Amino acid sequence: MALTPGERDDLPDDERDDDGPVLDLLAAATAAARREDAALVPPPALLRRVMDAVRADPRPPGTPVVLSAAPGARVAVAEAAVLRVVRAAAESAGDVRVGRCRVDAAGGVLRVSVAVTARAGVPLPGLADRVRARVAAVAGATLGLPVAAVDVEVEDVT
Amino acid sequence: MRRYQAPLYRLAVRVLDDRQEAEDVVQDVLVTAWRRLPELRDDAAVGGWLYRAATNRSLNRLRDRRTLPDDALEQLPDLRPGEQPQRVVEAAAGVHALAAALRGLTPEQRAVWVLRELHERSYAEIAEALGTSPVAVRGRLARARADLAEAMTAWR
Protein backbone atom coordinates (compact mmCIF):
# COMPACT_ATOMS: atom_id res chain seq x y z
CA MET A 1 0.00 0.00 0.00
CA ALA A 2 2.67 2.45 -1.03
CA LEU A 3 1.73 6.06 -1.38
CA THR A 4 2.39 7.57 -4.76
CA PRO A 5 4.95 10.39 -4.86
CA GLY A 6 2.19 12.99 -5.33
CA GLU A 7 0.59 12.06 -2.05
CA ARG A 8 3.79 12.58 -0.10
CA ASP A 9 3.25 16.31 -0.37
CA ASP A 10 0.85 15.93 2.53
CA LEU A 11 3.51 14.61 4.82
CA PRO A 12 5.79 16.84 6.88
CA ASP A 13 9.15 17.58 5.29
CA ASP A 14 11.09 15.40 7.65
CA GLU A 15 8.99 12.41 6.61
CA ARG A 16 9.77 12.62 2.95
CA ASP A 17 12.99 10.71 2.94
CA ASP A 18 12.09 8.46 5.80
CA ASP A 19 8.42 7.63 5.61
CA GLY A 20 9.06 3.92 5.16
CA PRO A 21 8.57 3.08 8.86
CA VAL A 22 5.40 5.18 9.03
CA LEU A 23 3.91 3.49 6.01
CA ASP A 24 5.03 0.12 7.33
CA LEU A 25 3.24 0.99 10.52
CA LEU A 26 0.04 1.89 8.65
CA ALA A 27 0.35 -1.19 6.43
CA ALA A 28 0.90 -3.43 9.47
CA ALA A 29 -2.04 -1.88 11.31
CA THR A 30 -4.20 -2.29 8.20
CA ALA A 31 -3.25 -5.96 7.94
CA ALA A 32 -3.99 -6.40 11.64
CA ALA A 33 -7.35 -4.65 11.20
CA ARG A 34 -8.16 -7.07 8.35
CA ARG A 35 -7.40 -10.02 10.63
CA GLU A 36 -9.48 -8.45 13.37
CA ASP A 37 -12.35 -8.01 10.90
CA ALA A 38 -12.09 -11.62 9.77
CA ALA A 39 -12.63 -12.72 13.36
CA LEU A 40 -15.58 -10.39 13.81
CA VAL A 41 -18.79 -12.31 13.23
CA PRO A 42 -22.26 -10.81 13.52
CA PRO A 43 -24.21 -12.06 16.54
CA PRO A 44 -26.54 -14.96 15.60
CA ALA A 45 -29.44 -12.88 16.87
CA LEU A 46 -28.97 -10.55 13.91
CA LEU A 47 -29.94 -13.04 11.22
CA ARG A 48 -32.73 -14.32 13.47
CA ARG A 49 -34.18 -10.82 13.74
CA VAL A 50 -33.94 -10.39 9.98
CA MET A 51 -35.76 -13.66 9.37
CA ASP A 52 -38.41 -12.76 11.97
CA ALA A 53 -39.03 -9.43 10.25
CA VAL A 54 -39.24 -11.11 6.86
CA ARG A 55 -41.62 -13.82 8.11
CA ALA A 56 -43.82 -11.25 9.78
CA ASP A 57 -44.43 -9.84 6.32
CA PRO A 58 -44.23 -12.89 4.09
CA ARG A 59 -46.14 -11.63 1.06
CA PRO A 60 -43.96 -11.19 -1.98
CA PRO A 61 -43.12 -7.58 -2.71
CA GLY A 62 -45.30 -5.64 -5.08
CA THR A 63 -48.95 -5.95 -5.97
CA PRO A 64 -50.13 -9.22 -7.49
CA VAL A 65 -51.18 -8.84 -11.10
CA VAL A 66 -54.86 -9.70 -11.46
CA LEU A 67 -55.49 -11.66 -14.64
CA SER A 68 -59.15 -12.21 -13.99
CA ALA A 69 -61.28 -10.50 -11.39
CA ALA A 70 -64.36 -12.63 -12.09
CA PRO A 71 -66.06 -13.48 -8.77
CA GLY A 72 -65.38 -17.11 -7.91
CA ALA A 73 -62.79 -17.42 -10.67
CA ARG A 74 -60.24 -14.83 -9.71
CA VAL A 75 -56.71 -15.32 -11.05
CA ALA A 76 -53.83 -13.32 -9.62
CA VAL A 77 -50.13 -13.76 -10.26
CA ALA A 78 -47.44 -12.60 -7.85
CA GLU A 79 -45.45 -9.68 -9.18
CA ALA A 80 -42.23 -11.68 -8.82
CA ALA A 81 -43.64 -14.34 -11.16
CA VAL A 82 -44.76 -11.71 -13.68
CA LEU A 83 -41.28 -10.18 -13.60
CA ARG A 84 -39.76 -13.57 -14.29
CA VAL A 85 -42.00 -14.07 -17.32
CA VAL A 86 -41.19 -10.59 -18.65
CA ARG A 87 -37.44 -11.05 -18.16
CA ALA A 88 -37.41 -14.38 -19.95
CA ALA A 89 -39.44 -12.89 -22.80
CA ALA A 90 -37.11 -9.90 -23.16
CA GLU A 91 -33.98 -12.05 -23.08
CA SER A 92 -35.40 -14.35 -25.76
CA ALA A 93 -34.77 -11.42 -28.14
CA GLY A 94 -31.06 -12.31 -27.90
CA ASP A 95 -28.02 -9.99 -27.55
CA VAL A 96 -29.43 -8.63 -24.32
CA ARG A 97 -29.34 -9.18 -20.58
CA VAL A 98 -32.17 -7.76 -18.51
CA GLY A 99 -31.39 -5.88 -15.31
CA ARG A 100 -34.05 -3.87 -13.50
CA CYS A 101 -37.57 -4.59 -14.55
CA ARG A 102 -40.92 -3.07 -13.57
CA VAL A 103 -44.47 -4.00 -14.40
CA ASP A 104 -47.77 -2.25 -13.90
CA ALA A 105 -51.06 -3.98 -14.63
CA ALA A 106 -53.48 -1.20 -13.80
CA GLY A 107 -56.56 -1.10 -16.01
CA GLY A 108 -56.20 -4.70 -17.23
CA VAL A 109 -53.25 -3.97 -19.51
CA LEU A 110 -49.61 -4.66 -18.83
CA ARG A 111 -47.10 -1.84 -18.91
CA VAL A 112 -43.50 -2.92 -18.73
CA SER A 113 -40.19 -1.14 -18.39
CA VAL A 114 -36.92 -3.03 -18.63
CA ALA A 115 -33.34 -1.88 -18.20
CA VAL A 116 -31.00 -3.94 -20.33
CA THR A 117 -27.35 -4.49 -21.07
CA ALA A 118 -26.82 -4.93 -24.80
CA ARG A 119 -24.12 -6.81 -26.65
CA ALA A 120 -21.61 -4.34 -28.09
CA GLY A 121 -22.05 -3.59 -31.77
CA VAL A 122 -25.72 -4.52 -31.96
CA PRO A 123 -27.80 -1.63 -33.36
CA LEU A 124 -29.81 -0.43 -30.38
CA PRO A 125 -33.05 0.78 -32.03
CA GLY A 126 -33.51 -2.61 -33.70
CA LEU A 127 -32.65 -4.39 -30.45
CA ALA A 128 -35.21 -2.34 -28.52
CA ASP A 129 -37.83 -3.20 -31.16
CA ARG A 130 -37.05 -6.92 -30.85
CA VAL A 131 -37.23 -6.78 -27.05
CA ARG A 132 -40.56 -4.96 -27.28
CA ALA A 133 -41.96 -7.47 -29.78
CA ARG A 134 -40.88 -10.48 -27.69
CA VAL A 135 -42.31 -9.05 -24.47
CA ALA A 136 -45.59 -8.18 -26.19
CA ALA A 137 -45.88 -11.62 -27.80
CA VAL A 138 -44.52 -13.99 -25.14
CA ALA A 139 -45.46 -12.19 -21.95
CA GLY A 140 -48.80 -11.21 -23.44
CA ALA A 141 -49.59 -14.80 -24.39
CA THR A 142 -48.31 -16.30 -21.13
CA LEU A 143 -50.27 -13.94 -18.93
CA GLY A 144 -53.22 -13.42 -21.24
CA LEU A 145 -53.02 -9.66 -20.85
CA PRO A 146 -52.62 -7.12 -23.64
CA VAL A 147 -49.23 -5.42 -23.41
CA ALA A 148 -49.80 -1.69 -23.77
CA ALA A 149 -46.26 -0.40 -23.31
CA VAL A 150 -42.71 -1.73 -23.23
CA ASP A 151 -40.14 0.91 -22.35
CA VAL A 152 -36.55 -0.17 -22.91
CA GLU A 153 -33.62 1.54 -21.26
CA VAL A 154 -30.18 0.44 -22.41
CA GLU A 155 -28.06 0.99 -19.32
CA ASP A 156 -24.87 -0.59 -20.54
CA VAL A 157 -23.16 -2.22 -23.50
CA THR A 158 -20.70 -5.08 -23.11
CA MET B 1 -28.15 -13.25 2.85
CA ARG B 2 -25.96 -15.43 5.04
CA ARG B 3 -23.06 -14.75 2.70
CA TYR B 4 -23.37 -10.99 2.93
CA GLN B 5 -24.33 -10.41 6.54
CA ALA B 6 -20.77 -10.74 7.89
CA PRO B 7 -19.06 -8.41 5.38
CA LEU B 8 -21.84 -5.84 5.76
CA TYR B 9 -21.62 -6.05 9.55
CA ARG B 10 -17.83 -5.54 9.45
CA LEU B 11 -18.22 -2.58 7.13
CA ALA B 12 -20.84 -0.95 9.36
CA VAL B 13 -18.82 -1.60 12.54
CA ARG B 14 -15.77 0.10 11.00
CA VAL B 15 -17.66 3.05 9.60
CA LEU B 16 -19.91 3.58 12.63
CA ASP B 17 -17.49 2.41 15.32
CA ASP B 18 -20.48 1.04 17.23
CA ARG B 19 -21.59 -2.59 17.12
CA GLN B 20 -25.17 -1.99 18.21
CA GLU B 21 -25.73 0.62 15.54
CA ALA B 22 -23.99 -1.61 13.01
CA GLU B 23 -26.42 -4.42 13.84
CA ASP B 24 -29.36 -2.08 13.32
CA VAL B 25 -28.01 -0.94 9.96
CA VAL B 26 -27.37 -4.48 8.71
CA GLN B 27 -30.77 -5.70 9.87
CA ASP B 28 -32.44 -2.81 8.08
CA VAL B 29 -30.45 -3.40 4.88
CA LEU B 30 -31.09 -7.15 4.79
CA VAL B 31 -34.82 -6.84 5.44
CA THR B 32 -35.12 -4.23 2.69
CA ALA B 33 -33.01 -6.36 0.35
CA TRP B 34 -35.20 -9.38 0.98
CA ARG B 35 -38.29 -7.42 -0.02
CA ARG B 36 -36.61 -6.09 -3.14
CA LEU B 37 -35.08 -9.41 -4.16
CA PRO B 38 -37.06 -9.81 -7.40
CA GLU B 39 -35.72 -6.48 -8.65
CA LEU B 40 -32.14 -7.40 -7.85
CA ARG B 41 -31.36 -10.29 -10.01
CA ASP B 42 -27.79 -11.14 -10.78
CA ASP B 43 -25.23 -11.63 -8.04
CA ALA B 44 -23.13 -8.62 -8.94
CA ALA B 45 -26.21 -6.38 -8.72
CA VAL B 46 -27.13 -7.79 -5.29
CA GLY B 47 -23.63 -7.27 -3.90
CA GLY B 48 -23.42 -3.73 -5.26
CA TRP B 49 -26.86 -2.84 -3.95
CA LEU B 50 -26.10 -4.24 -0.48
CA TYR B 51 -22.78 -2.39 -0.20
CA ARG B 52 -24.39 0.84 -1.36
CA ALA B 53 -27.30 0.50 1.06
CA ALA B 54 -25.08 -0.37 4.02
CA THR B 55 -22.65 2.48 3.27
CA ASN B 56 -25.41 5.05 2.84
CA ARG B 57 -27.30 4.02 5.94
CA SER B 58 -24.14 4.08 8.01
CA LEU B 59 -23.23 7.55 6.74
CA ASN B 60 -26.76 8.80 7.38
CA ARG B 61 -26.53 7.61 10.97
CA LEU B 62 -23.23 9.40 11.39
CA ARG B 63 -24.80 12.59 10.08
CA ASP B 64 -27.65 12.24 12.59
CA ARG B 65 -25.18 11.49 15.34
CA ARG B 66 -23.06 14.56 14.65
CA THR B 67 -25.52 16.75 16.50
CA LEU B 68 -25.07 14.69 19.67
CA PRO B 69 -22.17 15.13 22.10
CA ASP B 70 -19.32 12.96 20.97
CA ASP B 71 -18.87 10.62 23.92
CA ALA B 72 -17.27 7.97 21.75
CA LEU B 73 -13.97 9.81 21.71
CA GLU B 74 -13.87 9.85 25.50
CA GLN B 75 -14.07 6.07 25.63
CA LEU B 76 -10.87 5.69 23.69
CA PRO B 77 -8.09 4.49 25.97
CA ASP B 78 -4.90 6.48 25.79
CA LEU B 79 -2.65 4.15 23.93
CA ARG B 80 0.57 6.09 23.79
CA PRO B 81 3.12 3.37 24.44
CA GLY B 82 4.84 5.20 27.27
CA GLU B 83 7.11 2.88 29.17
CA GLN B 84 5.57 -0.31 27.85
CA PRO B 85 7.92 -2.57 25.88
CA GLN B 86 7.56 -1.20 22.39
CA ARG B 87 7.72 -4.43 20.39
CA VAL B 88 5.15 -6.25 22.49
CA VAL B 89 2.48 -3.63 22.36
CA GLU B 90 3.18 -2.42 18.86
CA ALA B 91 0.97 -4.80 16.88
CA ALA B 92 -2.05 -4.50 19.17
CA ALA B 93 -1.56 -0.81 19.83
CA GLY B 94 -1.12 -0.21 16.09
CA VAL B 95 -4.67 -1.44 15.50
CA HIS B 96 -5.97 0.86 18.24
CA ALA B 97 -3.95 3.76 16.88
CA LEU B 98 -5.41 3.03 13.44
CA ALA B 99 -8.92 2.91 14.90
CA ALA B 100 -8.30 6.25 16.60
CA ALA B 101 -6.87 7.71 13.40
CA LEU B 102 -9.92 6.46 11.48
CA ARG B 103 -12.17 8.41 13.85
CA GLY B 104 -10.30 11.53 12.81
CA LEU B 105 -11.31 11.11 9.16
CA THR B 106 -14.52 12.48 7.73
CA PRO B 107 -17.22 9.79 7.48
CA GLU B 108 -16.93 9.73 3.68
CA GLN B 109 -13.15 9.34 3.78
CA ARG B 110 -13.47 6.61 6.36
CA ALA B 111 -16.06 4.78 4.24
CA VAL B 112 -13.79 4.99 1.18
CA TRP B 113 -10.78 3.74 3.11
CA VAL B 114 -12.67 0.84 4.74
CA LEU B 115 -14.29 -0.22 1.45
CA ARG B 116 -10.94 -0.17 -0.32
CA GLU B 117 -8.44 -1.41 2.26
CA LEU B 118 -10.54 -3.81 4.31
CA HIS B 119 -13.16 -4.89 1.76
CA GLU B 120 -11.06 -4.67 -1.39
CA ARG B 121 -13.83 -3.08 -3.43
CA SER B 122 -12.88 -1.55 -6.78
CA TYR B 123 -12.87 2.21 -7.33
CA ALA B 124 -15.92 1.78 -9.55
CA GLU B 125 -17.80 -0.14 -6.85
CA ILE B 126 -16.90 2.39 -4.17
CA ALA B 127 -17.93 5.24 -6.46
CA GLU B 128 -21.27 3.53 -6.99
CA ALA B 129 -21.75 2.97 -3.27
CA LEU B 130 -21.10 6.64 -2.51
CA GLY B 131 -22.80 8.15 -5.53
CA THR B 132 -19.60 9.74 -6.80
CA SER B 133 -16.97 9.21 -9.49
CA PRO B 134 -13.98 6.83 -9.43
CA VAL B 135 -11.72 9.87 -9.76
CA ALA B 136 -13.22 11.40 -6.62
CA VAL B 137 -12.81 8.06 -4.85
CA ARG B 138 -9.13 7.97 -5.80
CA GLY B 139 -8.68 11.48 -4.40
CA ARG B 140 -10.45 10.71 -1.13
CA LEU B 141 -8.53 7.49 -0.70
CA ALA B 142 -5.19 9.26 -1.20
CA ARG B 143 -6.27 11.92 1.29
CA ALA B 144 -7.43 9.28 3.79
CA ARG B 145 -4.16 7.33 3.51
CA ALA B 146 -2.09 10.46 3.94
CA ASP B 147 -4.14 11.57 6.97
CA LEU B 148 -3.90 8.13 8.53
CA ALA B 149 -0.16 7.95 7.94
CA GLU B 150 0.20 11.34 9.56
CA ALA B 151 -1.95 10.40 12.55
CA MET B 152 0.02 7.19 12.97
CA THR B 153 3.26 9.17 12.93
CA ALA B 154 1.96 11.42 15.67
CA TRP B 155 1.07 8.37 17.71
CA ARG B 156 4.50 6.90 17.21
Side-chain angles (χ1 to χ4, degrees):
Chain A
M1 197 190 51
L3 295 184
T4 60
E7 292 158 15
R8 294 190 186 180
D9 292 344
D10 295 321
L11 295 171
D13 281 342
D14 59 349
E15 288 301 327
R16 288 208 184 167
D17 298 327
D18 186 32
D19 56 5
V22 175
L23 297 182
D24 286 351
L25 196 65
L26 179 53
T30 302
R34 276 198 208 113
R35 286 195 297 275
E36 200 180 74
D37 264 20
L40 180 65
V41 290
L46 175 57
L47 200 57
R48 207 159 51 232
R49 282 203 308 274
V50 170
M51 296 317 290
D52 286 349
V54 166
R55 285 199 197 96
D57 182 16
R59 72 196 154 76
T63 322
V65 171
V66 177
L67 301 185
S68 161
R74 188 179 131 90
V75 182
V77 181
E79 187 183 39
V82 173
L83 289 172
R84 219 177 285 281
V85 168
V86 168
R87 281 204 172 99
E91 291 192 341
S92 72
D95 298 328
V96 79
R97 199 161 53 83
V98 178
R100 276 175 298 115
C101 182
R102 286 178 206 285
V103 292
D104 171 19
V109 296
L110 198 63
R111 291 173 181 278
V112 173
S113 75
V114 289
V116 303
T117 300
R119 188 191 304 281
V122 176
L124 298 179
L127 180 64
D129 284 345
R130 290 203 324 270
V131 167
R132 192 169 289 118
R134 294 298 298 166
V135 171
V138 177
T142 304
L143 298 166
L145 282 181
V147 177
V150 181
D151 291 325
V152 179
E153 181 192 335
V154 179
E155 58 182 3
D156 203 356
V157 171
T158 56
Chain B
M1 193 162 291
R2 275 171 214 284
R3 182 149 54 99
Y4 283 109
Q5 64 150 349
L8 295 179
Y9 177 65
R10 289 168 193 148
L11 169 68
V13 167
R14 288 284 174 194
V15 173
L16 286 163
D17 196 26
D18 183 310
R19 292 189 182 198
Q20 187 55 54
E21 278 198 279
E23 273 190 51
D24 292 348
V25 162
V26 174
Q27 180 181 342
D28 192 21
V29 167
L30 291 180
V31 170
T32 307
W34 180 271
R35 294 193 172 132
R36 291 193 48 183
L37 223 46
E39 287 173 55
L40 308 164
R41 196 177 54 152
D42 52 67
D43 243 29
V46 173
W49 188 91
L50 288 170
Y51 264 98
R52 185 168 64 234
T55 305
N56 282 330
R57 271 162 227 242
S58 298
L59 291 177
N60 284 340
R61 281 194 175 235
L62 285 176
R63 282 182 204 111
D64 293 345
R65 204 201 274 172
R66 231 178 260 173
T67 51
L68 301 172
D70 200 351
D71 293 333
L73 284 175
E74 314 290 329
Q75 296 164 8
L76 184 72
D78 185 357
L79 283 155
R80 252 166 302 187
E83 312 142 294
Q84 293 166 292
Q86 186 83 9
R87 277 279 144 216
V88 180
V89 297
E90 189 143 324
V95 177
H96 286 284
L98 174 61
L102 279 170
R103 287 185 197 109
L105 299 182
T106 67
E108 286 79 9
Q109 274 181 345
R110 185 161 60 243
V112 167
W113 188 88
V114 170
L115 285 166
R116 180 70 198 162
E117 301 287 29
L118 301 185
H119 290 260
E120 292 167 339
R121 312 303 289 183
S122 71
Y123 288 157
E125 287 166 325
I126 299 170
E128 198 202 325
L130 288 164
T132 180
S133 69
V135 174
V137 167
R138 192 180 294 270
R140 278 186 205 172
L141 183 64
R143 186 75 237 175
R145 280 177 180 161
D147 286 356
L148 289 175
E150 200 183 318
M152 300 286 285
T153 318
W155 163 77
R156 193 181 175 86

